[in-house]
Amino acid sequence: MSTETSVPHPRVSGLEASDSALFATLIKEAPIAFAFFDTELRCRRVNETLAGVHGAVAGDLIGRRPSEMLPADLATAMEAALRKVLDEDKSVLDADLIMRLPAGGDTEKDLPPETRHWSSSWFPSHGAEGDILGVALIAVDVTDRRRAEDVIRRKEERYRSLVEASSQVVWVTDPQGRVSEDAPEWRAITGQTFDDYAAGGWPAVIHPEDRGRIEAAWRECVEAERTFETDYRVRTKTGAYRHYDVRAVPIRRGEAVVEWVGANTDVTGQREAEEMRGRLTEQLSAAALRTARLQQATSMLAEALTVSQVVQVITEVGRSAIGADRSAVALLDDDKLRLEIITPSGASDPADFGRELFQVSDPSVMSVAVRESRPFLAESPDELRLQLGRAEIDPFLQNTEERAWVGLPLLAAGAPIGALRFAFTRPRAITEEERVFLEALAGQCALAVERALLFEREHKTAEALQRSLLPDVLLQLPTMQLAARYHPATRHVQVGGDWYDAFRLPDDRLAVAVGDVMGKGVRAAAGMGRVRNALRALALNDPRPAAVLSGLDRLFSATEDVEQFTTVAYAVIDPETGAGVLSNAGHPPPLLLGPDTSARLSTAEPGTPLGWPSHRQQASFSITPGNTVVFYSDGLVENRRRGVDAGLDELVGAAADATPEVVGDPEILVDFLIDRMLAGYEQDDDVTVLALHVPPKTIPKTM
């Protein structure tokens, strides 16, 4: 299976086509450089971003070492990193790479190449056996960040030099803190006349927000005769405010203060540089967060199989990345005329006028995004009214706290399949960086929704098929009680090949079968149906268990794939006497238990799965009155944390703990065994249990 990119690469086994396409899209479209090198340091995979840095085409770099395709200094650094990862089997993170782009075009051939800085990370890639297959390189261009940091650094140095070179503004007051001398430098900055300065002094031009604090601190220092040191904003003659650090000290003669001398230092440049650095840091942090959220969404969407799970991932990632207060996803119906709100995991999230179903022609955020196949942005209620119409929108605005909206179309093959919506409870402008992020998120959402819709359709088809092949009503006899349970696994939300059957033979004996077809989905369910129907047909011709399984072996070898793995336990029982005959084709052994006997597993020959070379054997057994035999699939005893042998021991132990009342009622018994065996484990396979119970004989009362 290959993905639609311009980079040649090997076929990827075990991935769904949509997953591979999603991966290829991210590698091709995301602004990162990617390459994979084998243990010989040869490039085996590279995207156009990395190839384009060196003015090459990705295909031209395949099979070549860095030393064969890159400048010597860069090749040396890259090969050193590759060898370090291969030798130590450890990742190398956040390494610096300096790449010099060639000058482009004939008119620029005399220009020096452009230097770009890249932050690179190198990861060892392991095979199934743990051996190193090669090294993956992911690099991000951080040139703009470096340049921005250099700009800030140069500005800080410039402002620092100016401050150090300039003279301080000095002013003097009398011992009570009143202006006593002229300060020409101060008046040149503030535009005060001498009379203004003498009357109000320097506090008159302090920013109103700072003035009360500064005047109180000044009076306190004057009264206490201690150094006054603070900062404030001063209104200049242009009307703008500048930041000043101030320090004033008392001048003493003997013990008495004769005057105060203050010096103001303009620190506006420093403050602006700090603010700029803070804003830049916030922007870089926000960009890094959005990148991390996209990576998180990619990972989480890989495990989201249903539409509801996809919606939950997308809304959570989107909310956390841009701080949205509400979110929703709506999908088009088959007629492409209506949108239906999809809520994650059954949760309710009001959106688009509070309706769960609305017309594409309606005036709403999602409807516009779908109709016009473009992002819809409204930063405030007034803008929403302007775009959608006051009469239509005012009723909605009166009943919602939302004050800003984003709607994004979900496009599959260029056609809309739904819309993604985020809302804020305050007016909110969406930056260009946020818009790019949201469009990328919507693209991921569309791909994941399309895959989930296909999966759900297959799941419903397979589930309907499997349910139709199980008995609608389990056969019940006067001398024998039957109970069965089928629990599909929920981990992967797929149906499997577990099945059971019970039917009367022409001679009135009871035929019972429990089977398991390896795999999940439609194929497993269809295989289960073929085996079940063939078993019934063979049993009606010759009901002996060994003969039936031998017939299934022949049929299986002629019609089924070699890789198919199917097990069956089949028994024929006389309901009047409880005598039975069992043959097993690789299925777990039946469980035998009764109120007066110890629980035990059948010792009959386990046999091999269907289609394997084997001489089928059959063993006799008897279900005495009051006793029960239980057939089951391997999902009851085996899971990721428990092996088959340990599971069989636990099953016998659980059966031994069953009270006589539980053993005497097969309906209670099957639920008891399932609850005990699955408690504390995550169910990752289907579970089928079929119990046959022979009630104790009732002794008639004598007169």
Side-chain angles (χ1 to χ4, degrees):
M1 176 173 60
S2 63
T3 56
E4 185 61 26
T5 69
S6 60
V7 183
H9 58 278
R11 295 171 65 87
V12 182
S13 174
L15 293 178
E16 294 294 334
S18 58
D19 289 335
S20 182
L22 174 59
F23 173 77
T25 299
L26 291 175
I27 293 302
K28 182 177 180 181
E29 300 296 337
I32 63 173
F34 168 83
F36 180 81
F37 298 87
D38 61 19
T39 55
E40 300 298 323
L41 309 189
R42 295 189 181 277
C43 180
R44 296 303 179 190
R45 181 84 182 269
V46 63
N47 69 348
E48 294 294 347
T49 299
L50 183 57
V53 171
H54 308 291
V57 177
D60 296 338
L61 305 182
I62 301 301
R64 300 171 65 186
R65 294 188 177 94
S67 59
E68 298 172 350
M69 59 184 179
L70 300 175
D73 54 344
L74 178 58
T76 299
M78 291 182 68
E79 291 190 357
L82 289 169
R83 291 192 178 93
K84 181 177 178 64
V85 174
L86 292 173
D87 293 342
E88 300 179 5
D89 195 12
K90 292 181 180 179
S91 299
V92 175
L93 304 178
D94 298 326
D96 287 334
L97 286 180
I98 299 178
M99 303 184 186
R100 293 179 174 85
L101 279 66
D106 294 336
T107 60
E108 297 178 347
K109 60 185 179 180
D110 295 329
L111 294 177
E114 180 186 0
T115 298
R116 306 291 294 181
H117 294 267
W118 293 74
S119 176
S120 61
S121 297
W122 312 74
F123 307 92
S125 176
H126 299 89
E129 301 299 327
D131 53 323
I132 296 182
L133 302 179
V135 180
L137 162 65
I138 297 177
V140 179
D141 189 345
V142 295
T143 305
D144 292 338
R145 187 183 70 190
R146 291 285 184 87
R147 290 174 176 172
E149 292 173 349
D150 289 341
V151 168
I152 292 176
R153 187 163 49 251
R154 287 196 300 271
K155 285 189 175 182
E156 289 178 344
E157 293 171 353
R158 183 182 305 121
Y159 284 126
R160 190 179 302 112
S161 298
L162 290 174
V163 169
E164 293 174 353
S166 62
S167 58
Q168 294 179 323
V169 177
V170 179
W171 47 269
V172 179
T173 72
D174 63 16
Q176 289 72 41
R178 297 186 297 265
V179 171
S180 60
E181 293 183 10
D182 191 10
E185 297 88 354
W186 177 263
R187 292 194 294 104
I189 293 171
T190 62
Q192 289 181 305
T193 65
F194 175 76
D195 291 339
D196 292 335
Y197 178 64
W202 52 267
V205 289
I206 293 179
H207 193 288
E209 294 178 0
D210 299 338
R211 187 177 302 156
R213 169 180 62 87
I214 296 303
E215 288 182 332
W218 173 239
R219 286 194 299 271
E220 182 179 345
C221 288
V222 169
E223 292 173 1
E225 298 182 351
R226 67 169 184 266
T227 300
F228 174 66
E229 193 167 11
T230 187
D231 62 90
Y232 48 70
R233 290 166 289 178
V234 173
R235 186 183 69 246
T236 67
K237 59 185 177 182
T238 64
Y241 283 90
R242 299 188 67 82
H243 293 269
Y244 280 86
D245 284 345
V246 60
R247 177 182 173 86
V249 296
I251 305 300
R252 301 177 184 274
R253 290 180 184 171
E255 297 296 327
V257 174
V258 296
E259 64 180 3
W260 289 78
V261 176
N264 285 25
T265 304
D266 190 335
V267 294
T268 306
Q270 178 182 341
R271 295 293 175 83
E272 289 178 349
E274 291 174 353
E275 292 174 0
M276 181 183 299
R277 181 164 52 191
R279 288 194 298 270
L280 182 59
T281 300
E282 291 178 359
Q283 292 172 1
L284 292 174
S285 299
L289 175 63
R290 288 191 289 270
T291 301
R293 293 303 188 208
L294 279 178
Q295 295 172 344
Q296 178 189 22
T298 302
S299 176
M300 296 172 67
L301 287 175
E303 299 182 2
L305 298 179
T306 66
V307 173
S308 179
Q309 290 172 344
V310 171
V311 170
Q312 185 168 6
V313 170
I314 291 296
T315 54
E316 287 179 358
V317 171
R319 283 188 184 187
S320 60
I322 64 172
D325 299 298
R326 293 177 181 171
S327 57
V329 174
L331 299 182
L332 281 169
D333 62 6
D334 293 338
D335 296 329
K336 310 297 183 185
L337 297 176
R338 295 188 299 178
L339 285 162
E340 180 180 3
I341 297 291
I342 307 298
T343 54
S345 302
S348 177
D349 190 3
D352 269 72
F353 308 92
R355 292 172 291 183
E356 294 299 316
L357 196 66
F358 54 96
Q359 301 292 324
V360 174
S361 58
D362 286 350
S364 72
V365 172
M366 286 182 165
S367 298
V368 173
V370 169
R371 286 199 308 267
E372 301 182 11
S373 294
R374 65 169 180 84
F376 177 93
L377 305 176
E379 300 177 357
S380 65
D382 288 340
E383 189 169 341
L384 188 68
R385 293 186 183 98
L386 181 64
Q387 296 191 60
L388 300 182
R390 177 178 295 275
E392 293 82 356
I393 297 305
D394 276 348
F396 163 64
L397 292 176
Q398 292 171 2
N399 295 284
T400 183
E401 297 178 351
E402 297 174 358
R403 290 298 176 264
W405 300 264
V406 179
L408 301 130
L410 302 180
L411 304 176
I417 60 173
L420 176 61
R421 177 187 193 274
F422 294 103
F424 307 84
T425 55
R426 64 196 183 285
R428 170 75 149 77
I430 299 297
T431 66
E432 184 62 26
E433 292 80 6
E434 289 174 331
R435 176 170 175 160
V436 171
F437 164 79
L438 290 173
E439 290 181 358
L441 186 65
Q444 290 194 24
C445 180
L447 291 172
V449 166
E450 189 176 31
R451 184 183 72 244
L453 289 172
L454 290 174
F455 172 83
E456 289 184 350
R457 282 196 289 268
E458 177 183 338
H459 171 66
K460 290 178 181 179
T461 301
E463 185 177 35
L465 174 60
Q466 186 172 29
R467 292 290 184 184
S468 69
L469 294 174
L470 296 176
D472 292 332
V473 179
L474 197 61
L475 181 66
Q476 299 293 335
L477 303 173
T479 57
M480 187 170 292
Q481 300 172 355
L482 287 81
R485 297 288 185 273
Y486 168 67
H487 281 238
T490 57
R491 176 179 174 84
H492 299 296
V493 203
Q494 288 184 308
V495 295
D498 277 21
W499 60 279
Y500 64 88
D501 201 2
F503 55 94
R504 296 292 290 268
L505 296 169
D507 59 3
D508 287 335
R509 287 187 297 169
L510 176 66
V512 176
V514 175
D516 186 1
V517 178
M518 180 187 69
K520 298 288 183 183
V522 174
R523 183 182 179 190
M528 175 265 285
R530 290 193 296 270
V531 174
R532 174 182 177 273
N533 292 336
L535 185 145
R536 278 206 173 204
L538 291 168
L540 293 175
N541 181 55
D542 184 352
R544 293 175 301 158
V548 169
L549 293 191
S550 296
L552 286 176
D553 282 333
R554 293 190 296 273
L555 180 65
F556 206 87
S557 298
T559 61
E560 301 296 328
D561 294 337
V562 176
E563 296 83 3
Q564 186 61 272
F565 189 92
T566 300
T567 64
V568 177
Y570 171 62
V572 175
I573 305 170
D574 186 339
E576 298 298 329
T577 64
V581 183
L582 168 71
S583 188
N584 196 337
H587 207 72
L591 174 70
L592 306 173
L593 68 163
D596 302 320
T597 60
S598 299
R600 65 192 186 282
L601 297 174
S602 171
T603 58
E605 174 67 33
T608 59
L610 293 181
W612 291 31
S614 176
H615 179 68
R616 295 299 178 188
Q617 303 290 327
Q618 62 184 33
S620 299
F621 67 95
S622 178
I623 312 176
T624 58
N627 287 3
T628 304
V629 60
V630 180
F631 299 88
Y632 53 91
S633 64
D634 60 356
L636 183 68
V637 295
E638 183 182 20
N639 55 48
R640 297 176 185 271
R641 294 168 47 203
R642 179 176 62 194
V644 175
D645 293 338
L648 292 174
D649 291 340
E650 288 189 28
L651 178 62
V652 173
D657 293 338
T659 63
E661 291 77 15
V662 172
V663 175
D665 189 332
E667 292 287 346
I668 298 177
L669 177 62
V670 292
D671 290 333
F672 172 82
L673 292 176
I674 291 174
D675 291 342
R676 283 289 299 270
M677 294 302 294
L678 297 185
Y681 296 101
E682 182 178 5
Q683 182 184 350
D684 50 24
D685 196 6
D686 297 347
V687 173
T688 300
V689 180
L690 174 63
L692 290 81
H693 174 69
V694 176
K697 293 186 179 294
T698 303
I699 301 176
K701 295 182 180 179
T702 58
M703 297 297 293

